[in-house]
Amino acid sequence: MMILLIEDDKTISDALTEFLTAEGFRVELADCKAEALAAITKSTYELLIVDVSLPDGNGFEICEKASEKGMPAIFLTASGDER
């Protein structure tokens, strides 16, 4: 299964890539909205894991475009604020 991981935090993307690869998934990375949109325009993925907050926007537009191509997406987000 090919997964596109869209995450701008290198620590998080490295950890997730290591975990997913160990579980047998193939992982491609994008660290911003523009890079992710370009990737889903030229390739098809079985799953997108999308950070909500990206340096050049948010993940909602990525999910909208992925949905148009029939690609499922899961939002992944982290916040330093526990509330």
Side-chain angles (χ1 to χ4, degrees):
M1 173 184 263
M2 178 60 81
I3 296 174
L4 178 62
L5 174 59
I6 304 140
E7 172 60 63
D8 62 321
D9 184 311
K10 183 160 175 42
T11 302
I12 294 171
S13 64
D14 287 350
L16 282 173
T17 298
E18 182 178 333
F19 173 77
L20 292 167
T21 301
E23 292 297 317
F25 298 103
R26 293 180 295 147
V27 180
E28 288 188 12
L29 298 172
D31 64 3
C32 66
K33 183 177 84 172
E35 192 175 312
L37 290 172
I40 63 175
T41 298
K42 66 180 179 181
S43 299
T44 300
Y45 300 91
E46 283 83 16
L47 178 65
L48 276 66
I49 300 175
V50 184
D51 187 5
V52 173
S53 299
L54 297 165
D56 58 348
N58 63 53
F60 297 108
E61 185 178 343
I62 297 165
C63 288
E64 183 178 319
K65 186 64 118 178
S67 177
E68 291 171 6
K69 293 188 72 179
M71 290 183 267
I74 297 173
F75 278 114
L76 171 73
T77 191
S79 175
D81 183 4
E82 292 182 12
R83 287 184 277 152

